[in-house]
Amino acid sequence: MEPLTRAHTALALLALDPLLGGLVVRARAGAVRDAVMAAVPEHTRLHPNMGSDALDGGIDVSATLSSGTLTSTRGLLSRGGTFVLAMAERAEPYTAARLAATLDQQNGQTLIALDEGIEDEVVPPTLADRLAFHVDLEDCALSDIGPVPAWVASTYPALVRAPDDVVTTLVLLAVRLGITSLRAVGFALRAARAHAALNGRLETVQDDITAAVALVFAHRATQMPAEDQPQDQPDETPPDDPQDQAEPEQQDMLPQDMLLDAVLAALPADLLANLQSKGTERSASGSGGGRKKLGNRRGRPLPARDTGTAKGRVDLIATLRAAIPWQTLRKHEMPERIGPIIRHGDLRRKRYLDHSDRVLIFAVDASGSAAMARMGEAKGAIELLLAQAYARRDHVALIAFRGMEAEVLLEPTRSLVQTKRKLADLPGGGATPLAAGMMSAHQMAQRAGRKGLTPTIILLTDGRANMALDGSANRAQAASNAQSVARALRGTGTEAIVIDTGRRPEPALARISDILGGTYIALPRANAHSLSDAVAATMDR
Amino acid sequence: MKQPFPFSAIVGQTDMKRAMILTAIDPSIGGVLVFGDRGTGKSTAVRGLAALLPPITAVKGCPVNAASLSDCPDWAGITDGSTHEIPTPVVDLPLGASEDRVTGALDIEKALTNGEKAFQPGLLAKANRGYLYIDEANLLEDHIVDLLLDVAQSGQNVVEREGLSIRHAARFVLVGSGNPEEGELRPQLLDRFGLSVDVASPTDIDERIEVIKRRDAYENDYTAFMVRWHAEDAMLREQIIAARLALKKLDTPEQSLRDVATLCIALGSDGLRGELTLLKAARAYAAFRDDTALTRGHIRDVAALALRHRMRRDPLDDAGSGVRVDRIVAETLGA
């Protein structure tokens, strides 16, 4: 199925059976997305930063004041039908949790989440798990847009019978694709029924199951089935190949394998990249030990204060609270006024506290020279720092560089167990592409910055750079590359700590550390304690 | 509106169900923390739990569900001490709840309309004598966590703001759930939970199939499904009520106390809270099993629930602490 057809099928299924939850549409705003949205029935539009007032309703202050009785506004979530969440990848954990709870009540509400994320920005997993479908329209061209297919559903999904072995097949398939959430299987079963109803059947047939697994399982797969499938099959099959791979050619084939093919055909071309990022879904922002910024636009609301400035939004409730104790006195002064009498001094403005979580980016030299020297000790030092990161509830990320290039082992995460495992598996050997390692750290720091994290780079290396950015084994050029990357890093104002893991302190590394404006610690002389003290001191600055 | 999925219809997840039943028998055990992947039935179990709990007797109109007039706070202004039976409250604490919502605040309605300074009780008041459920507990904002820790510790909610000075009882069983991949939980909050459970999707194919079938029956054949499982739930509720009575008469031999202490020392668990909780949990379990005296078997069966999250935590230890507990239990108490 082409992505657009998938989207339209998904919408048609949702209209038939709202308990399928909804659909994630991953695409930038544009004609292709509009073509899909045109098929969405009348809906309520939600914004990712909507607070509880908007979602659940609150006091309508002006109506309450004028009528003298408490008047509440109805929250948007009390409406039925379809909701469209724009910019879903930016949804606050609260919004996601609240919407998830709404869907859990199964009142026939459905949600279309518009995901405009780039790179690893995704819809909060709590929410995505409760939406049956996911369509990626990134690769669709204008020419793909066709008329919305017309279906005439002549029966209800609830009337459709699913043979007993369907459940078994679906469960087994989910296991093979590494889908742990049992919600997915439930969704697939529902989708199969709805698909049968859509086509006017009273019993699910192979086609329905195939459509259901392609729609529900494909994007949830976390592993390729351990089967002797040709390795490059998903790459050879373009995702928009209309030729359905599941076309039953050999009838004696196991239905499971046919289904598997359907899933594979629906897999996006960049599956492998997706599989890798699955483990490091953007961790929702709880609260961390990062820098705190007092602003007045975003973040969690602080108690409103009388700030005296004209900027910022007026907190009506807090203002009224401040005014209420004086009302009796003021009424005496101005008996003709009705309603509460509010003076300038009562005005309270909203303040917000925004956490800027810290992320520690470990760039680890895994080259032959470093491995020979003190790889073990470097790992020990990292573990020590990880324990600190745990206490501060920082995010950590891991980059290793050796041979020709740097490799991101772990995107920013709070899961220390995962970090430690990656670290333990880190092999050593090869040249020292110091500049590439720093470059990779630099890029990650920028990405983290965009997400509102405060990056700190911790560079562990013996400093003997011998691989230049262009891949030539040229010591002099490697060193000068490293210095220019360091200057670029300095320019972004990213904090850096350089830990020298060589046998002897390396002057070149100290120079890089100077350029970075960071702290330089020579591991040979540092014992565990002083190392941790030095790092702590740097991070507290 | 549809009733939640029945508790007894949940397939497998023995540990989670056991932990919740134990807190229902003895609320002083102090709550359950359920950690696990998405789609493993965490929320389902908590929502289903409400139907399992025996009703409580509370003064009519009392905002904190007090059992008698003398327990009602003064500010509620209740003079009529007549009581009625209400279901045990199970209150959801949404992630983004403001401090006002949680502790209670000035009643805006009364303030605006009558110019009266009155207190509007928050979620903590509603949860008194019942359950407070935090979904995604690990994502809770720090300031709300601090507040909960304080209240859970003292059993009293103190509000000093906007010229109000209010205190009321807030004793509740804290039930939290979360996904460890999304963030860790502060050790202080961890310690406030009496029991902790790690849940995972069942690995057995048949079990997984059964899960889907029951869910499907719940959604498509609601009435018949509920009739069948309501009966099961009712039986379980009877069992819980019987266990509450049996708990009072349960014999705790000296040897059991010694076993519990030895076990906690061997595990190096922090503080005495672990010992107390383990003892209470084991007693509740014995009562649930309708046994007359506490034995080693009971302690062994609930040790992991009560101690797993209390061990001096090595954040980098990737073998689950449950494994460590099981090993030491086997060493100390014999297999």
Side-chain angles (χ1 to χ4, degrees):
Chain A
M1 267 191 272
E2 287 177 54
L4 269 171
T5 322
R6 293 180 47 172
H8 284 133
T9 316
L11 287 175
L13 296 180
L14 274 177
L16 268 182
D17 187 354
L19 292 194
L20 283 166
L23 163 72
V24 179
V25 181
R26 188 170 172 92
R28 307 282 185 86
V32 178
R33 198 177 81 180
D34 290 346
V36 173
M37 293 309 290
V40 176
E42 188 154 331
H43 56 263
T44 308
R45 219 174 156 87
L46 304 176
H47 187 269
N49 288 321
M50 276 179 167
S52 59
D53 277 12
L55 294 177
D56 293 318
I59 296 172
D60 184 341
V61 178
S62 58
T64 303
L65 284 180
S66 61
S67 67
T69 55
L70 184 76
T71 317
S72 310
T73 53
R74 277 179 71 213
L76 292 174
L77 292 183
S78 62
R79 301 189 189 173
T82 307
F83 294 92
V84 172
L85 176 64
M87 288 179 282
E89 80 284 357
R90 309 281 302 172
E92 300 279 319
Y94 169 72
T95 316
R98 188 65 194 84
L99 286 170
T102 309
L103 291 175
D104 280 352
Q105 283 171 2
Q106 308 196 327
N107 289 330
Q109 290 152 316
T110 54
L111 177 74
I112 316 286
L114 302 180
D115 176 0
E116 297 176 23
I118 38 171
E119 291 176 13
D120 53 346
E121 291 175 317
V122 290
V123 175
T126 356
L127 198 52
D129 195 50
R130 286 170 166 87
L131 307 180
F133 308 118
H134 182 287
V135 186
D136 193 332
L137 301 177
E138 302 267 278
D139 298 325
C140 285
L142 274 179
S143 56
D144 295 338
I145 301 175
V148 180
W151 281 282
V152 190
S154 54
T155 179
Y156 295 103
L159 299 178
V160 175
R161 236 181 50 79
D164 269 355
D165 58 333
V166 169
V167 176
T168 318
T169 315
L170 290 176
V171 167
L172 287 173
L173 191 60
V175 170
R176 285 175 67 187
L177 288 168
I179 302 171
T180 47
S181 172
L182 280 171
R183 240 183 231 123
V185 185
F187 278 143
L189 185 62
R190 262 183 185 282
R193 282 218 185 90
H195 192 265
L198 198 62
N199 290 293
R201 284 188 280 268
L202 279 171
E203 182 160 338
T204 57
V205 297
Q206 189 63 46
D207 260 7
D208 302 322
I209 316 290
T210 312
V213 294
L215 284 166
V216 177
F217 282 173
H219 63 281
R220 287 184 159 89
T222 59
Q223 68 182 42
M224 298 299 283
E227 197 69 14
D228 41 25
Q229 300 275 352
Q231 268 297 302
D232 46 358
Q233 183 169 1
D235 296 318
E236 273 179 2
T237 313
D240 50 359
D241 188 351
Q243 178 79 39
D244 196 345
Q245 288 294 300
E247 217 64 79
E249 289 165 10
Q250 302 157 272
Q251 282 301 324
D252 50 354
M253 232 165 112
L254 276 173
Q256 257 197 60
D257 289 331
M258 283 161 37
L259 294 177
L260 208 53
D261 288 346
V263 172
L264 292 181
L267 285 176
D270 56 347
L271 170 82
L272 278 182
N274 281 342
L275 289 189
Q276 307 224 311
S277 71
K278 273 278 154 54
T280 54
E281 283 161 337
R282 186 169 69 123
S283 64
S285 58
S287 40
R291 247 182 256 156
K292 288 174 184 176
K293 294 183 291 197
L294 273 180
N296 54 5
R297 290 295 141 82
R298 49 187 293 240
R300 111 173 130 75
L302 284 175
R305 285 284 149 73
D306 171 19
T307 57
T309 58
K311 284 191 289 182
R313 286 158 60 193
V314 172
D315 186 332
L316 213 41
I317 305 288
T319 303
L320 287 170
R321 274 198 193 118
I324 281 159
W326 306 100
Q327 292 308 306
T328 327
L329 282 174
R330 291 180 190 170
K331 281 263 157 64
H332 275 298
E333 289 171 18
M334 304 185 209
E336 74 283 1
R337 277 276 295 269
I338 32 173
I341 302 165
I342 295 171
R343 297 199 178 152
H344 184 74
D346 300 330
L347 284 183
R348 296 289 183 268
R349 295 180 200 279
K350 282 190 176 163
R351 301 186 312 156
Y352 294 91
L353 174 67
D354 197 5
H355 277 282
S356 162
D357 288 5
R358 187 196 300 274
V359 53
L360 302 183
I361 301 173
F362 288 97
V364 184
D365 182 353
S367 67
S369 57
M372 291 301 287
R374 7 207 347 153
M375 193 68 189
E377 276 165 69
K379 283 185 182 178
I382 296 178
E383 287 193 8
L384 201 75
L385 294 173
L386 283 179
Q388 274 185 19
Y390 173 76
R392 296 160 164 274
R393 307 205 294 141
D394 292 335
H395 298 252
V396 290
L398 197 58
I399 294 171
F401 52 97
R402 69 192 188 99
M404 301 291 284
E405 54 184 15
E407 186 191 356
V408 176
L409 291 180
L410 200 61
E411 289 286 341
T413 173
R414 281 230 182 92
S415 167
L416 295 179
V417 173
Q418 222 181 355
T419 318
K420 195 192 165 200
R421 213 172 287 151
K422 290 272 185 196
L423 192 63
D425 296 344
L426 184 65
T432 311
L434 180 58
M438 287 167 67
M439 187 85 113
S440 179
H442 181 195
Q443 284 159 357
M444 182 179 281
Q446 280 186 322
R447 273 205 302 280
R450 281 204 296 273
K451 279 190 218 152
L453 300 168
T454 308
T456 300
I457 294 176
I458 302 182
L459 182 66
L460 292 102
T461 175
D462 60 359
R464 295 190 171 79
N466 56 12
M467 179 64 69
L469 272 182
D470 58 8
S472 61
N474 180 337
R475 227 166 244 284
Q477 202 192 337
S480 95
N481 279 166
Q483 292 188 3
S484 37
V485 176
R487 267 187 287 276
L489 260 176
R490 176 70 178 266
T492 61
T494 310
E495 270 187 272
I497 300 171
V498 178
I499 299 176
D500 190 338
T501 57
R503 283 185 205 286
R504 286 176 300 280
E506 171 74 31
L509 198 54
R511 199 149 52 242
I512 286 177
S513 167
D514 271 351
I515 298 174
L516 282 171
T519 315
Y520 172 81
I521 305 163
L523 191 57
R525 290 199 214 114
N527 59 24
H529 197 69
S530 67
L531 182 69
S532 104
D533 280 355
V535 172
T538 310
M539 296 203 295
D540 282 337
R541 269 207 315 250
Chain B
M1 200 172 124
K2 254 183 168 178
Q3 287 187 10
F5 192 81
F7 186 85
S8 42
I10 296 170
V11 182
Q13 311 294 16
T14 339
D15 269 1
M16 174 168 72
K17 289 202 279 190
R18 183 185 294 164
M20 290 194 184
I21 290 170
L22 294 185
T23 58
I25 294 170
D26 182 0
S28 71
I29 289 175
V32 188
L33 177 69
V34 188
F35 249 33
D37 298 334
R38 283 178 286 280
T40 43
K42 301 183 299 268
S43 322
T44 312
V46 179
R47 304 222 158 97
L49 180 69
L52 218 59
L53 300 166
I56 58 171
T57 312
V59 174
K60 271 185 194 163
C62 177
V64 300
N65 315 313
S68 67
L69 190 57
S70 57
D71 290 344
C72 280
D74 303 336
W75 48 263
I78 292 173
T79 48
D80 176 15
S82 60
T83 60
H84 61 163
E85 278 206 340
I86 55 168
T88 303
V90 177
V91 177
D92 254 313
L93 179 80
L95 266 189
S98 66
E99 207 178 313
D100 287 16
R101 274 291 297 293
V102 178
T103 58
L106 186 71
D107 188 333
I108 305 282
E109 176 175 14
K110 288 196 177 134
L112 284 181
T113 52
N114 311 337
E116 197 179 298
K117 191 170 85 176
F119 176 67
Q120 183 174 40
L123 295 174
L124 292 177
K126 246 167 101 183
N128 189 30
R129 301 183 68 206
Y131 282 70
L132 188 69
Y133 173 48
I134 317 170
D135 197 6
E136 314 273 0
N138 45 344
L139 300 184
L140 204 61
E141 292 285 357
D142 270 346
H143 65 293
I144 302 282
V145 172
D146 295 342
L147 209 147
L148 283 178
L149 289 183
D150 186 42
V151 176
Q153 174 63 45
S154 60
Q156 199 177 44
N157 180 28
V158 180
V159 184
E160 295 283 353
R161 53 192 295 177
E162 286 134 9
L164 291 168
S165 179
I166 296 283
R167 52 207 62 222
H168 65 77
R171 262 179 286 276
F172 47 81
V173 177
L174 210 52
V175 180
S177 69
N179 182 346
E181 274 177 21
E182 288 167 1
E184 319 246 359
L185 205 59
R186 258 166 56 184
Q188 295 94 322
L189 184 59
L190 215 50
D191 190 47
R192 291 299 194 280
F193 289 98
L195 309 175
S196 97
V197 191
D198 284 336
V199 290
S201 286
T203 45
D204 181 47
I205 297 290
D206 290 332
E207 214 169 273
R208 293 179 74 113
I209 292 173
E210 186 60 28
V211 172
I212 299 297
K213 284 195 171 155
R214 286 199 194 162
R215 190 79 216 179
D216 190 47
Y218 168 72
E219 278 161 6
N220 289 324
D221 190 13
Y222 178 69
T223 323
F225 183 78
M226 288 312 265
V227 168
R228 153 133 169 64
W229 289 103
H230 256 321
E232 298 271 334
D233 265 5
M235 264 166 61
L236 200 50
R237 185 165 58 234
E238 291 306 315
Q239 236 180 320
I240 289 173
I241 295 173
R244 281 186 180 176
L245 292 176
L247 189 58
K248 291 180 186 142
K249 287 180 263 172
L250 190 76
D251 195 24
T252 310
E254 186 70 26
Q255 182 57 39
S256 298
L257 297 179
R258 197 162 287 280
D259 283 346
V260 168
T262 324
L263 191 58
C264 288
I265 292 170
L267 281 167
S269 69
D270 291 342
L272 285 174
R273 202 197 296 268
E275 262 157 278
L276 283 171
T277 313
L278 175 55
L279 189 64
K280 279 180 180 167
R283 281 171 53 87
Y285 185 55
F288 183 66
R289 296 274 304 270
D290 208 13
D291 293 331
T292 47
L294 191 59
T295 67
R296 259 188 190 183
H298 300 131
I299 297 174
R300 199 161 35 222
D301 284 352
V302 298
L305 289 181
L307 298 177
R308 175 169 20 215
H309 55 299
R310 289 177 210 283
M311 297 174 32
R312 196 164 285 280
R313 213 170 124 74
D314 175 3
L316 301 172
D317 180 13
D318 42 359
S321 25
V323 181
R324 244 159 91 207
V325 174
D326 286 343
R327 201 188 60 227
I328 296 179
V329 168
E331 279 168 13
T332 321
L333 302 184

